[in-house]
């Protein structure tokens, strides 16, 4: 089965399993897990931040950022289809008591002027605006890269207003690789960043939250409240280190596979590629096939390919480490048979 | 001074003061204030609901509706410039832990199809959609009336999905009077409604929350937590009863004054009326005067007229009981002098 | 009917009604209600604090103190039967997200050493201790006065630890009058204080929250979120001013009436006074009468006297302005008939 | 170094590492991790509950129980030194908005009558009591076993009142082994239970929450909000399965080591064993040594033994898999040298 449902589905590599097997571990609640400490140090360096924290998921990293930066009754600016607003079960409101102020972006990019206008002035009726969140790459826009230029402008708006910026960088390494930039080129325009070790980077579990020392200290205490403080979690960190050292550059292959897939889909009469696939995600519109999502996905499955619904009439395909170039060929053939 | 800043600024009438002076009161925490009980019964009848609750403000009524209907981690659908989202200090998130899902309306009306699409399906990443809020009349659209037709359609969408509808009817009586309808014609399309006694209806303090008995019981307990349980609050209810009996029909006068004001403004070259004034609010664009809001408002004040800024380049004027037809003439003259 | 259920049940005096009738009012959300402004200034002076805020209830005042001083995940130290813990619907946790740490007091006084030991040290497992609350007089201990000496010691413990102290002074004026002290003698040992205008001081509605300017500013914004921002609330303030000017000294009469009541109860064989009535509350144990609370209260009602249950086997009687010395005589006779 | 600080410090066994290395994994957010599924099924069987959920810590399991069972403004009954109240950063209030009602237990056992009396009646001033939490074994009482008899009585009180019971069974297997009972004998008296795989059972990370199906479904959604939804978490589950199959019976050895340690300490003149060590925890009072905790612990460390402070004058020693009987001999000798 060629599984294009998500890049979270990858199996860890042999090297990761080996690293897990031999990991030196300790009790991280006591700060004594050397592998966790090593990963956190490495992640801080890579993002150019003072400190980093291993967390169990991108959602946890994002939520900790909000909990550590905001107070109940605050407002945070988020893109209208961002993961933190769309896919985290309203946790920003449930846990941190903050209200999202959404701005509709274009391919994930929010207009800096709209961001500026959305910042609240002082008024007894208004919440305080205390955080601006970007998502890069932007999942629901099909893995589109939010440009450095856009990030810089929003960061300037934020700094002028004295408001911190958080990047939900679940797939930030994809953005860096796709633009031939360093992750630091992106993280220079934020106060905190979360990125996942478990998507394109292939680790079984975990994400990183990075920022300044005081922020990470606060986040660490909130992580304990959320039950994210773990014991010998170095096993997970061992794989995370491999992800950062060995798996970053190869993201280019995933992007290449996605482009090939998109090109082939574009060539099929009844399918339309909805996004411009900057990275490893392809979204296609299947309405011209007259098939409903469910039916289309079932037929695709019969042909040995898995994908996911992305709103009625749209289907998302995600490339990753466990999908080879040959698998892409097979997937293209399968699609051709389904649209027949 | 002709005060067009808000209809909340009215002084209570002589009749209200008399009613307050002679009010029979008791301890409402014990349920023993006869005037409160009378007002709540009257309000329930007028809105066609099982029960009603006196609250100290429209904000309190709205928040209680959310607290009584929703749980933390839920999502509620609101218009993108509605009071409950825009002007209540993010309290829905701070107090009830719910996330607003905004839909941009046209003159306060949300497209029922967009409402339907915004309702979440079951998915572990998604909050549950547990409330749909309408605002009628819609303040930031300039007191526009949300039509019965629109309300009916949204209510049908809601019922199909099993989701309750709440009306923020701070100025619902304005909507009813402006359309020659009964308040019940509107409240038939909601499960709960809040309306203010303190705006066009002229009372010094207070709003009503109405709905079914179980809902009001829950809201009453949450009111206690918010500190809105009062003792001899019959003094405030005494005026509220006058509002409901004597002040409703005269809202037509406020609407007439607003139309006259709008017509005159429209005639002035450098001013543009931004809204179509359905009720008692006029929003004008002053950009052509080349004056900034602050300057314009100061000059208007020098001429004996108060108004408020409504976003840069826009000014809001609100008519009410304490502004006579003659005051409107004066205000028009004053505006002419200011725009020169 | 002689109503000894609570001092919240008083009818406003003729003077209060007159003051309400003639009150000059304005829109307090705009800060333009002169009577509210006058009351808040007066209350700040009396408590020796920088600023004060009119709120609709003691519960609202207490909750605002917690909301303005604490963050979610904090712990606050409270007496184990204090109103803020026992009678406010868990609002401190629901609204402010703080956890109460209870200390069992003696007649409402917490041992300063226990307070000191309850303050949390820095540890990732621990909440931060960010508020210490006292209640004076202490309702559930029968209106007992928390001594200045006890308050001073707790305040010193708090200052050493850098933690603010809040007084729930719903009946603080009773404490002052009972000890022949000034309210300021008590409020010198706190950072914020709430007191009620609506209990022994006889006003229909309202309480005051006082503290430093920054605190009151934060509390004012939270009051808006709770829906406690009102319009022409000067009507309520007009009575509150009478309470502060005319009704304080006469609390001594309520205390005298309570002592007479307690002495007479003590003389009745089957009744035992449970508290030492420092102020206006008498708690008696009726177990020796072999009557259940419900039955006892019903028979007392037949005799023209109302009181309330205070846990099985105990009944609370509260004296106030609307109960005369003669009423006390009648109440004593009634009790004698009931215990037979 | 002989590490008696906590049983969380154990290194996973060779068998665990092997199981981790060879684990079959999948994406658990999709419900496709076979090893997670196997563990959850096994855990449900062992506890006699319909369903179970793997979580990253005992704290996360406890918090999910509260989030899934309670609403903001509720009150939950907890022992006054229970982990959920004492050591979880006030998370029950911060996340779930509930207020703890504490009952002081004896060796962790709450008096069922006190539990019954603490359940709130219906009153507008009162929160609803919606959960009763037990901790078994009880950490701060020194790992004492809460007896089946006590649990049964509390469960009966709870059922009569219609309130669910949750067991924080971080070390419930210790209780079962120490009393020669089955875990099900304990879990029959609860609606939900959390137990840790990472303490005496030796796994690197993880706990289980078990209960009925609907409860687990709710908890799963809340786990996602807390960021506890993981991807290929089967690696952790692989070890958890070993814990449940291979590590339970051997807890008896830990208990034996603790008793030997306690007996030896009891024999030392200046040391007093504070608890009756039912399981694997020994708490000793060192006040007679005239040494402060810090000094004592440092000297002990010099002798090659680690322990932790447990309040001034008290030190906790915990036995576990990585401490052999010989290590206990060494620790006893070390203690003798330190007390001189
Ligand atoms: Ca993976
Ligand atoms: Ca008014
Ligand atoms: Ca014009
Ligand atoms: Ca009164
Ligand atoms: Ca007696
Ligand atoms: Ca371990």
């Amino acid at each position: 089965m060629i599984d294009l449902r998500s890049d979270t589905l990858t199996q860890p590599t042999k090297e990761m399993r080996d690293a897990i097997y031999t990991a030196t571990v300790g009790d991280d609640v006591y700060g004594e897990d050397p592998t966790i400490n090593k990963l956190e140090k490495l992640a801080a360096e890579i993002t150019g931040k003072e400190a980093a924290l291993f967390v169990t998921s991108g959602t946890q990293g994002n939520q900790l950022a909000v909990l550590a930066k905001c107070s109940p009754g605050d407002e945070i600016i988020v893109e209208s289809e961002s993961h933190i607003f769309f896919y985290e079960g309203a946790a920003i409101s449930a846990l941190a008591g903050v209200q999202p102020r959404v701005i509709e972006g274009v391919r994930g990019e929010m207009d800096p002027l709209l961001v500026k206008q959305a910042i609240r002035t002082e008024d007894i009726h208004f919440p305080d605006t205390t955080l601006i969140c970007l998502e890069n790459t932007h999942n629901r826009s099909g893995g589109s890269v939010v440009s450095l230029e856009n990030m810089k402008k929003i960061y300037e708006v934020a700094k002028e207003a004295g408001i911190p910026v958080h990047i939900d960088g679940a797939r930030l390494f994809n953005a860096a690789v796709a633009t031939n930039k360093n992750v630091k080129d992106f993280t220079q325009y934020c106060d905190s960043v979360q990125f996942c070790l478990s998507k394109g980077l292939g680790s079984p579990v975990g994400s990183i939250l990075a920022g300044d020392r005081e922020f990470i200290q606060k986040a660490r205490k909130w992580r304990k409240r959320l039950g994210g403080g773990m014991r010998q979690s170095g096993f997970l960190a061992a794989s995370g280190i491999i992800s950062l050292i060995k798996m970053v550059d190869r993201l280019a292959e995933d992007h290449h596979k996605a482009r090939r897939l998109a090109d082939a889909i574009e060539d099929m009469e009844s399918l339309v590629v909805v996004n411009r696939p900057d990275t490893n995600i392809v979204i296609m519109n299947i309405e011209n096939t007259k098939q409903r999502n469910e039916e289309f996905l079932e037929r695709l499955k019969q042909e040995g390919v898995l994908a996911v619904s992305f709103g009625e009439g749209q289907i998302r395909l995600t490339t990753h480490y466990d999908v080879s170039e040959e698998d892409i060929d097979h997937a293209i053939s399968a699609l051709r048979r389904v649209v027949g």
Side-chain angles (χ1 to χ4, degrees), chain A:
Chain A
M1 194 66 76
I2 300 165
D3 200 338
L4 296 168
R5 289 178 298 165
S6 176
D7 49 9
T8 62
L9 291 152
T10 47
Q11 289 287 327
T13 63
K14 174 70 167 54
E15 194 173 3
M16 286 175 180
R17 284 198 186 246
D18 288 343
I20 290 170
Y21 189 58
T22 59
T24 310
V25 297
D27 190 329
D28 183 47
V29 175
Y30 287 77
E32 295 176 1
D33 190 293
T35 313
I36 284 284
N37 293 343
K38 186 177 168 190
L39 170 63
E40 291 181 349
K41 190 158 175 289
L42 177 62
E45 282 165 13
I46 287 174
T47 56
K49 300 297 173 193
E50 283 177 18
L53 185 71
F54 179 75
V55 293
T56 49
S57 68
T59 294
Q60 189 166 82
N62 287 338
Q63 294 301 322
L64 292 180
V66 178
L67 284 161
K69 295 274 190 198
C70 307
S71 296
D74 287 349
E75 191 168 83
I76 68 173
I77 296 174
V78 299
E79 204 279 333
S80 64
E81 299 222 331
S82 59
H83 193 276
I84 200 169
F85 170 71
F86 203 82
Y87 284 128
E88 301 191 5
I92 48 172
S93 302
L95 306 180
V98 306
Q99 175 172 288
R101 178 78 173 271
V102 297
I103 291 174
E104 208 170 319
V106 175
R107 291 177 50 74
E109 293 191 348
M110 297 185 283
D111 182 335
L113 184 61
L114 294 181
V115 171
K116 187 178 178 142
Q117 290 168 346
I119 295 172
R120 300 279 196 156
T121 53
E122 184 52 40
D123 183 307
I124 199 163
H125 299 84
F126 289 167
D128 293 328
T129 305
T130 54
L131 191 65
I132 297 168
C133 294
L134 309 183
E135 186 180 326
N136 201 0
T137 68
H138 189 273
N139 179 8
R140 281 188 62 83
S141 301
S144 59
V145 175
V146 174
S147 70
L148 284 175
E149 193 189 356
N150 181 256
M151 287 192 63
K152 183 169 188 280
K153 281 185 188 158
I154 290 175
Y155 192 65
E156 284 165 0
V157 164
K159 289 304 103 174
E160 204 188 305
I163 298 172
V165 172
H166 172 71
I167 305 177
D168 174 354
R171 292 183 180 89
L172 185 59
F173 285 85
N174 294 82
V177 167
T179 55
N180 254 315
K181 300 283 177 187
N182 200 296
V183 157
K184 262 187 222 171
D185 295 327
F186 291 86
T187 54
Q188 69 178 312
Y189 300 128
C190 75
D191 299 273
S192 63
V193 59
Q194 176 270 117
F195 67 82
C196 290
L197 301 160
S198 66
K199 295 190 168 80
L201 301 186
S203 273
V205 170
S207 294
I208 292 290
L209 179 68
D212 68 46
R213 221 161 264 123
E214 193 190 333
F215 164 75
I216 290 298
Q217 198 177 351
K218 277 192 193 178
R220 193 178 289 273
K221 193 157 190 170
W222 274 109
R223 188 185 65 170
K224 200 86 178 78
R225 288 194 185 99
L226 302 191
M230 295 182 286
R231 301 298 174 176
Q232 287 77 25
S233 43
F235 286 108
L236 303 173
S239 172
I241 291 167
I242 307 286
S243 286
L244 288 177
I245 292 175
K246 300 285 181 74
M247 300 289 281
V248 172
D249 293 343
R250 61 147 293 284
L251 291 172
E253 300 163 16
D254 295 348
H255 304 171
H256 181 257
K257 287 175 275 184
R259 269 195 310 276
R260 279 187 55 221
L261 193 56
D263 289 348
I265 289 168
E266 208 47 281
D267 284 348
M268 296 181 217
E269 207 140 304
S270 51
L271 297 181
V272 179
V273 172
V274 172
N275 68 328
R276 192 187 71 209
D278 287 349
T279 53
N280 66 327
I281 295 175
V282 179
I283 301 173
M284 63 183 181
N285 187 306
I286 64 159
E287 286 174 348
N288 293 338
T289 67
K290 311 291 180 202
Q291 299 177 37
R292 295 188 61 83
N293 283 16
E294 206 168 82
E295 183 191 351
F296 190 99
L297 289 169
E298 182 53 35
R299 290 182 61 184
L300 200 53
K301 191 175 173 184
Q302 299 299 330
E303 300 286 349
V305 177
L306 298 175
V308 287
S309 182
F310 210 64
E312 200 40 49
Q314 298 200 154
I315 281 173
R316 192 188 75 174
L317 307 143
T318 307
T319 60
H320 51 77
Y321 190 68
D322 288 356
V323 177
S324 65
E325 292 282 356
E326 273 173 22
D327 288 337
I328 296 297
D329 296 333
H330 288 301
I332 291 167
S333 308
L335 279 167
R336 284 203 185 107
R337 282 189 298 274
V338 169
V339 301

